[in-house]
Amino acid sequence: MFIRNIWYIAGWAKEVGEQPLARRICNEAIVLFRNKDGVVGALADRCCHRGAPLSLGTVVGGGLECGYHGMVFDAAGACVSIPGQEKIPASARVTSYPLVEKDEFIWIWMGDAEKADVSKIVDYPYNNDYKNWPHKHGFYHIKSNYKLLVDNLMDLSHLGYVHKTTIGGDPDTHVNAKMDAKKTEQGVKITRWMPNCNPPPTYANGVKFNGKVDRWQEFEFLPPGNVIQWSGAVDVGQGAFEEGGSREGGFSLRVFHGVTPETESTCLYFWCVSNGYRQDDPQATQDLYDDVSKAFREDQAVIEAQQRCLDETGEDDLVSIVHDRGRVQMRRVIDDLITHETLSA
Amino acid sequence: MFIRNIWYIAGWAKEVGEQPLARRICNEAIVLFRNKDGVVGALADRCCHRGAPLSLGTVVGGGLECGYHGMVFDAAGACVSIPGQEKIPASARVTSYPLVEKDEFIWIWMGDAEKADVSKIVDYPYNNDYKNWPHKHGFYHIKSNYKLLVDNLMDLSHLGYVHKTTIGGDPDTHVNAKMDAKKTEQGVKITRWMPNCNPPPTYANGVKFNGKVDRWQEFEFLPPGNVIQWSGAVDVGQGAFEEGGSREGGFSLRVFHGVTPETESTCLYFWCVSNGYRQDDPQATQDLYDDVSKAFREDQAVIEAQQRCLDETGEDDLVSIVHDRGRVQMRRVIDDLITHETLSA
Amino acid sequence: MFIRNIWYIAGWAKEVGEQPLARRICNEAIVLFRNKDGVVGALADRCCHRGAPLSLGTVVGGGLECGYHGMVFDAAGACVSIPGQEKIPASARVTSYPLVEKDEFIWIWMGDAEKADVSKIVDYPYNNDYKNWPHKHGFYHIKSNYKLLVDNLMDLSHLGYVHKTTIGGDPDTHVNAKMDAKKTEQGVKITRWMPNCNPPPTYANGVKFNGKVDRWQEFEFLPPGNVIQWSGAVDVGQGAFEEGGSREGGFSLRVFHGVTPETESTCLYFWCVSNGYRQDDPQATQDLYDDVSKAFREDQAVIEAQQRCLDETGEDDLVSIVHDRGRVQMRRVIDDLITHETLSA
């Protein structure tokens, strides 16, 4: 079951050109395309004539032409041309989806089109700021329910076990981290403080520290499956965790995690990592991207194995621990949104 | 659901030798084999002893010997030998299927054996005439219900979209074609006239035309899944479409399309294309075969994608258009035969 | 449906080290591991925290550490450590399974732990006697219910059809074999006598015979899926089948067949073949192993095909023949054990 009246990430803007792109979101088959004027559109990926996928078709002047018998559909889903036939029946149409291109993402609305409010789309201005936040995009197909991936992001105690050699570092740092988790207007925000610890390999490779560091992580969950991350570390003594102290000059990164359900047991993971420490050095951005790419594959391996277990057994008898606080709040936000939609339907 | 009391194509005659051949037809597992006297037989592909497939066995003097414990079955399905045991219980038998070798095909009867009337098998004498109709055989395994492939053959407006570079040519030719579709004694016949058009690539490669051509297509559907095609073109001015005119000297081909259901979502496509324009040139036959092989793979790609869509959604809400006339009549013939069998059962 | 209160083979002892090993037995996901003291343990392969497989974890001092968030479980399944949390809830535990290492096997008890009686484990001392019975281990994953593989071992008339070129030899030898099948205290024992026959290829390659041989086979089934085999042949004239005669000096082998259900349609085949004729020649042991490895792959091909047939049709209408006597008794032993468990549950 999915939240419907909400904006999901359907793709990276750069992925969608005139060549139609098939994508499944909330278990609906959708075709994304860019018309001759450069405007993106999203239709149900099934011609209303004989059921062929429109993603096998071609963008023409009037819209998207089916590759089987040539019917053309405009961005609103109306059939505007049937080869060899003048009259177009009113029933000749397919579902269309509201679509917005913003901050390098394509956002899609999966619910009642009349409720689609563009102001509700998550803001991520860093994607438009290559000078201060040079960044690179990733896209992973994950064979798990999207919530298992968001779970992963909301319980960071896994860093010392899953990511020892990359962004994690030694387990004790994470076990002993102080954590705060609180409900925000839309979602849940986790803050973690790791004073006087060793920098993890990715940090130490990016910046020269004097020795121990003060390290922080801020992760904000925004439904349905977005997590906005700011992490970093500076030398001990700068007062990173004190009023009047400074977080300048060390290592910091931002990550946008956009997790979109594909089916109940698969999801699309759009992520973007920004270099906040050596902005003028493209190799630093590339190295950071490479480390994060590897770390997220480590997450993928665990999460897909977890999904295979839960496919068999469900998760009703699982035991939550202290580190699950943020994760449990996140789940409640999702459950409440679904309950609200169900009751108001 | 399949028509039962009808002859299906089970294979090309040349495919069936002493080496048993496993084939699934109307979702029944069948083994085809040729006995020591050269006669073909068809049995259920499951030994009645322990359920091993008989297609792993060996043709011996008395019939087909199971490869597991050596029981032998004759062409009627009766067990004629149990190793180490004299008495053969009456229950030791497997289903056998009426089988006829004709016109290079193996035809199988999937219904009540007492109703199997050999005179009802489709005639296709061109397969025995290598002089006037030199030809080559194809066999494709298609991951769609057989009716989607027959649909494809009964709505030729797809030629300008799916087969632009081979047997189709430009879309307008097909969109503007005049078409007649009518019920025949057994099936449905479509006739199409395309006067004063450009010859498609396959035609132009086969024959030197002066310029524009008059082009025709005749497709006759014969249940359960056979379509007999005659297509061609001659120079404009020969009066191809007039009384007293001529269709000699240009390009023509014949195709037998034999589509046999394997399961509800897969089928076996036996096809054969005959060269009717440069009969003495084996390279012309080969070139024609190569073009058609490629074109039918184009159909396969669309149809298999269509099947994947319809697997999810069914086809109840699809919208028929003018070009579907022959296709809709074809579907009605199939539905009527199934209804008739159901009511008389 | 599986027998629960019985010892199954979970693996070869040499397979299980500190690196956790995932294995499915009676359709339960299990992780096998050896702790820092060299003792083997078996737990349900699912962490009680978030459902990640424990087989992705690491053996640490206190037991097995989950690779996701670091919880540690001892061999009894109790959680003994939760990172960053002092209190361990009583519900934090996973199922553990009784495990015994014996005769080079790991034996696992799949039922009520209180009923696990180590004295009930099958004895196979030959695995500890490399001097008189040099041997090699095999492990095949078979895509069939375990009973189809035991069926195969309890009806040896297949040897002349499936293993013509290896351990079988000519069909008539097997068809004409005299067979006795009788219930033993725990299982069923088949004895076969093949007097004055040709030795099969594997035998003739291993030992120089004068000509015809007297050949014997003894197969004892012990539930749930073990078959202990002793086979051999000596020159005719030694009186192999007579009181006071001798079975010394020819060819003989022992095989342990350990078949463990993985799922209802797959099983784990642990087998071990011992050379009883040229014990001082490692090449003879290797040659025997190679022949048997090949022969068991021949069985696998037939049995997996049989499973695919039975998946569709079941086995209710199959016809038993004389050679099925031992096989039918074996099935009855299994059925009786399941019935007994069901009634006493």
Side-chain angles (χ1 to χ4, degrees):
Chain A
M1 195 160 206
F2 306 111
I3 309 168
R4 311 296 312 186
N5 287 314
I6 204 156
W7 293 97
Y8 286 92
I9 297 175
W12 290 109
K14 67 182 176 185
E15 287 184 292
V16 182
E18 282 197 13
Q19 179 69 37
L21 175 66
R23 194 143 277 171
R24 181 173 293 270
I25 297 173
C26 298
N27 215 11
E28 299 190 12
I30 292 168
V31 55
L32 306 174
F33 64 100
R34 198 175 285 275
N35 74 11
K36 296 286 184 189
D37 299 321
V39 179
V40 290
L43 300 176
D45 192 15
R46 174 183 182 263
C47 181
C48 65
H49 171 217
R50 293 299 306 145
L54 292 172
S55 52
L56 297 181
T58 307
V59 168
V60 295
L64 184 56
E65 178 186 271
C66 179
Y68 200 178
H69 303 96
M71 281 170 72
V72 179
F73 300 88
D74 67 16
C79 178
V80 294
S81 169
I82 300 179
Q85 177 171 336
E86 288 197 12
K87 188 172 156 33
I88 297 177
S91 58
R93 57 180 306 119
V94 297
T95 302
S96 76
Y97 298 83
L99 213 65
V100 173
E101 191 169 346
K102 178 168 173 287
D103 301 334
E104 301 191 321
F105 293 111
I106 303 286
W107 296 89
I108 192 168
W109 180 266
M110 296 301 296
D112 179 353
E114 293 192 359
K115 297 184 179 165
D117 177 352
V118 172
S119 74
K120 296 278 178 62
I121 297 176
V122 172
D123 283 314
Y124 195 66
Y126 309 101
N127 265 359
N128 305 312
D129 180 1
Y130 275 87
K131 184 172 176 352
N132 293 304
W133 294 99
H135 54 275
K136 295 180 76 74
H137 305 150
F139 171 35
Y140 287 0
H141 182 265
I142 309 287
K143 290 192 274 297
S144 84
N145 185 286
Y146 79 107
K147 288 184 284 190
L148 296 191
L149 181 45
V150 184
D151 281 347
N152 171 277
L153 296 164
M154 298 303 277
D155 177 0
L156 298 171
S157 72
H158 77 276
L159 266 76
Y161 301 96
V162 179
H163 308 302
K164 278 192 185 74
T165 63
T166 50
I167 56 175
D170 66 289
D172 285 349
T173 298
H174 295 283
V175 167
N176 300 324
K178 283 197 300 179
M179 178 177 83
D180 180 61
K182 65 169 188 232
K183 182 81 188 61
T184 62
E185 193 187 329
Q186 301 290 335
V188 176
K189 183 166 183 178
I190 287 176
T191 309
R192 290 172 101 226
W193 298 269
M194 290 161 280
N196 197 33
C197 65
N198 293 314
T202 300
Y203 287 30
N205 291 337
V207 164
K208 190 163 166 38
F209 293 107
N210 294 330
K212 298 273 182 178
V213 297
D214 288 335
R215 181 177 172 192
W216 68 89
Q217 294 174 313
E218 297 186 7
F219 279 62
E220 183 172 11
F221 162 71
L222 292 167
N226 307 297
V227 176
I228 295 178
Q229 169 184 358
W230 179 45
S231 303
V234 294
D235 284 321
V236 167
Q238 281 193 210
F241 301 149
E242 290 156 35
E243 212 167 327
S246 158
R247 295 191 180 184
E248 298 296 313
F251 179 96
S252 88
L253 59 81
R254 289 190 188 274
V255 186
F256 191 102
H257 307 266
V259 190
T260 298
E262 185 186 51
T263 67
E264 287 288 352
S265 58
T266 58
C267 64
L268 311 172
Y269 185 14
F270 302 96
W271 52 269
C272 179
V273 59
S274 302
N275 162 9
Y277 51 100
R278 275 161 48 208
Q279 291 89 340
D280 296 335
D281 182 354
Q283 189 60 43
T285 306
Q286 182 66 44
D287 289 346
L288 175 62
Y289 176 81
D290 291 344
D291 260 25
V292 167
S293 298
K294 185 182 158 197
F296 292 179
R297 288 292 186 205
E298 292 168 337
D299 289 317
Q300 178 178 13
V302 174
I303 292 166
E304 294 188 346
Q306 183 192 11
Q307 177 71 48
R308 289 190 294 270
C309 269
L310 299 181
D311 278 345
E312 268 190 71
T313 61
E315 45 182 289
D316 286 352
D317 63 337
L318 295 178
V319 178
S320 286
I321 58 176
V322 169
H323 281 124
D324 286 296
R325 263 185 303 146
R327 194 189 68 70
V328 168
Q329 291 183 64
M330 173 277 291
R331 288 286 192 120
R332 198 173 302 135
V333 170
I334 291 176
D335 289 346
D336 286 353
L337 284 166
I338 288 175
T339 302
H340 177 75
E341 281 195 1
T342 309
L343 293 179
S344 64
Chain B
M1 194 162 205
F2 306 111
I3 309 169
R4 311 296 313 187
N5 287 313
I6 204 157
W7 293 97
Y8 286 92
I9 297 174
W12 290 109
K14 67 181 176 186
E15 287 184 291
V16 182
E18 282 197 14
Q19 178 69 37
L21 176 66
R23 194 143 276 170
R24 181 174 294 269
I25 297 173
C26 298
N27 214 13
E28 300 190 11
I30 293 168
V31 53
L32 306 174
F33 64 101
R34 196 175 286 274
N35 73 12
K36 296 285 183 189
D37 298 322
V39 179
V40 289
L43 300 175
D45 192 15
R46 174 183 183 263
C47 181
C48 65
H49 170 217
R50 293 298 307 144
L54 292 172
S55 53
L56 298 180
T58 307
V59 168
V60 294
L64 184 55
E65 178 186 270
C66 178
Y68 200 177
H69 302 97
M71 281 168 73
V72 179
F73 300 88
D74 67 16
C79 178
V80 294
S81 168
I82 299 179
Q85 178 171 339
E86 287 198 13
K87 187 171 154 36
I88 298 176
S91 58
R93 56 180 307 119
V94 297
T95 302
S96 76
Y97 298 84
L99 213 65
V100 173
E101 190 169 346
K102 178 167 173 284
D103 301 334
E104 301 190 325
F105 292 112
I106 302 285
W107 295 90
I108 192 169
W109 180 265
M110 296 302 295
D112 180 352
E114 293 193 357
K115 296 182 179 166
D117 177 353
V118 173
S119 73
K120 296 279 178 62
I121 297 175
V122 172
D123 284 314
Y124 195 66
Y126 308 102
N127 266 359
N128 306 312
D129 181 1
Y130 275 87
K131 184 170 176 352
N132 293 305
W133 294 100
H135 54 275
K136 296 179 76 73
H137 305 149
F139 171 36
Y140 287 1
H141 181 265
I142 310 287
K143 290 192 275 296
S144 84
N145 185 283
Y146 79 106
K147 288 184 284 191
L148 296 190
L149 180 46
V150 184
D151 281 348
N152 171 277
L153 296 164
M154 298 302 280
D155 178 0
L156 297 171
S157 73
H158 77 275
L159 267 75
Y161 301 94
V162 178
H163 308 302
K164 277 193 185 75
T165 62
T166 49
I167 56 176
D170 66 288
D172 285 350
T173 297
H174 296 281
V175 167
N176 300 323
K178 284 197 298 180
M179 179 178 83
D180 180 59
K182 66 170 187 228
K183 183 81 188 62
T184 61
E185 194 187 331
Q186 301 290 335
V188 176
K189 184 166 183 178
I190 287 176
T191 309
R192 291 172 101 227
W193 297 269
M194 290 161 279
N196 197 32
C197 65
N198 292 314
T202 299
Y203 289 29
N205 291 337
V207 164
K208 189 162 168 36
F209 292 108
N210 293 330
K212 297 275 184 177
V213 299
D214 288 336
R215 181 178 172 190
W216 68 89
Q217 294 173 312
E218 298 186 6
F219 280 61
E220 183 171 12
F221 162 71
L222 292 167
N226 307 297
V227 176
I228 295 177
Q229 169 184 357
W230 179 46
S231 301
V234 293
D235 284 322
V236 167
Q238 281 193 209
F241 301 149
E242 290 157 35
E243 212 167 326
S246 159
R247 296 190 179 183
E248 299 295 314
F251 179 96
S252 89
L253 59 80
R254 290 189 187 274
V255 186
F256 190 102
H257 306 265
V259 189
T260 298
E262 185 187 50
T263 67
E264 286 289 351
S265 58
T266 59
C267 64
L268 310 173
Y269 185 14
F270 302 95
W271 52 269
C272 178
V273 58
S274 302
N275 162 10
Y277 51 99
R278 275 162 50 209
Q279 292 89 339
D280 296 334
D281 182 354
Q283 189 59 44
T285 305
Q286 182 66 46
D287 290 347
L288 175 61
Y289 176 82
D290 291 345
D291 260 27
V292 167
S293 298
K294 184 181 159 197
F296 292 0
R297 289 292 185 205
E298 292 168 337
D299 289 316
Q300 177 178 13
V302 174
I303 291 167
E304 293 187 348
Q306 183 192 11
Q307 176 70 47
R308 288 190 296 270
C309 270
L310 299 181
D311 277 345
E312 268 189 72
T313 61
E315 46 183 289
D316 286 352
D317 63 337
L318 295 178
V319 178
S320 286
I321 59 176
V322 169
H323 280 124
D324 286 297
R325 263 185 303 147
R327 194 189 68 71
V328 167
Q329 290 184 63
M330 173 276 292
R331 288 285 192 121
R332 198 174 301 137
V333 169
I334 291 175
D335 290 345
D336 287 352
L337 284 166
I338 288 176
T339 302
H340 177 74
E341 281 194 0
T342 307
L343 294 179
S344 63
Chain C
M1 194 161 205
F2 305 111
I3 310 170
R4 310 297 312 188
N5 286 314
I6 204 158
W7 293 97
Y8 286 93
I9 296 175
W12 290 109
K14 67 182 176 186
E15 287 184 292
V16 182
E18 281 197 15
Q19 179 68 39
L21 175 67
R23 193 143 277 170
R24 181 173 293 270
I25 296 172
C26 296
N27 215 13
E28 299 190 11
I30 293 168
V31 54
L32 306 175
F33 63 101
R34 197 175 285 275
N35 73 12
K36 296 286 184 187
D37 300 320
V39 179
V40 289
L43 299 176
D45 192 14
R46 175 183 183 262
C47 182
C48 65
H49 172 218
R50 293 299 305 145
L54 292 172
S55 52
L56 298 180
T58 306
V59 168
V60 295
L64 184 56
E65 179 187 89
C66 179
Y68 200 175
H69 303 96
M71 280 169 72
V72 179
F73 300 88
D74 67 16
C79 179
V80 293
S81 168
I82 300 179
Q85 177 171 337
E86 287 196 14
K87 188 172 153 33
I88 297 176
S91 58
R93 57 180 306 120
V94 297
T95 302
S96 75
Y97 298 84
L99 213 65
V100 173
E101 191 170 346
K102 178 167 172 287
D103 301 335
E104 302 190 323
F105 293 111
I106 303 285
W107 295 90
I108 193 169
W109 179 264
M110 296 301 295
D112 181 352
E114 295 192 358
K115 296 183 180 166
D117 178 351
V118 172
S119 73
K120 295 280 178 61
I121 297 175
V122 173
D123 284 313
Y124 195 65
Y126 309 102
N127 266 359
N128 305 313
D129 181 0
Y130 275 88
K131 182 170 178 347
N132 292 306
W133 294 100
H135 53 275
K136 295 180 77 72
H137 305 149
F139 172 35
Y140 288 1
H141 182 265
I142 309 287
K143 291 193 273 299
S144 84
N145 185 284
Y146 78 106
K147 288 183 285 189
L148 295 190
L149 181 44
V150 184
D151 282 348
N152 171 276
L153 296 164
M154 297 302 279
D155 177 359
L156 298 171
S157 72
H158 76 275
L159 266 77
Y161 301 96
V162 178
H163 308 302
K164 276 193 186 72
T165 63
T166 50
I167 56 175
D170 65 288
D172 285 349
T173 297
H174 296 282
V175 166
N176 300 324
K178 283 197 298 179
M179 178 177 83
D180 180 59
K182 66 171 186 228
K183 183 82 188 61
T184 61
E185 192 187 330
Q186 301 290 336
V188 176
K189 183 165 183 179
I190 287 175
T191 309
R192 290 172 101 225
W193 298 269
M194 290 161 279
N196 198 31
C197 66
N198 292 313
T202 299
Y203 288 29
N205 291 336
V207 164
K208 189 159 168 39
F209 293 108
N210 292 330
K212 297 276 182 175
V213 298
D214 288 335
R215 181 178 173 190
W216 69 90
Q217 294 174 313
E218 298 185 8
F219 279 61
E220 182 171 12
F221 163 71
L222 292 167
N226 307 297
V227 177
I228 295 178
Q229 169 184 357
W230 179 45
S231 303
V234 293
D235 284 320
V236 167
Q238 282 193 211
F241 301 148
E242 290 157 36
E243 211 168 326
S246 158
R247 294 190 179 184
E248 299 295 313
F251 178 96
S252 88
L253 59 80
R254 290 189 187 274
V255 186
F256 191 102
H257 307 266
V259 190
T260 298
E262 185 186 51
T263 67
E264 287 288 352
S265 58
T266 58
C267 64
L268 311 173
Y269 185 14
F270 302 95
W271 53 268
C272 181
V273 58
S274 302
N275 162 9
Y277 50 100
R278 274 164 48 210
Q279 291 89 338
D280 296 334
D281 181 355
Q283 190 59 44
T285 305
Q286 183 66 45
D287 289 346
L288 175 61
Y289 176 81
D290 291 345
D291 259 26
V292 167
S293 298
K294 185 182 159 198
F296 292 179
R297 288 292 186 207
E298 292 168 338
D299 289 317
Q300 178 177 14
V302 174
I303 291 166
E304 293 187 348
Q306 182 192 12
Q307 177 71 47
R308 290 191 294 272
C309 270
L310 298 181
D311 278 345
E312 269 191 71
T313 61
E315 45 183 289
D316 286 351
D317 63 336
L318 295 177
V319 178
S320 286
I321 59 176
V322 169
H323 281 124
D324 285 297
R325 263 186 302 147
R327 193 189 69 71
V328 168
Q329 290 183 64
M330 174 274 292
R331 289 286 192 121
R332 199 173 301 138
V333 169
I334 292 175
D335 289 346
D336 286 353
L337 285 167
I338 289 176
T339 302
H340 177 74
E341 281 193 0
T342 308
L343 293 180
S344 64

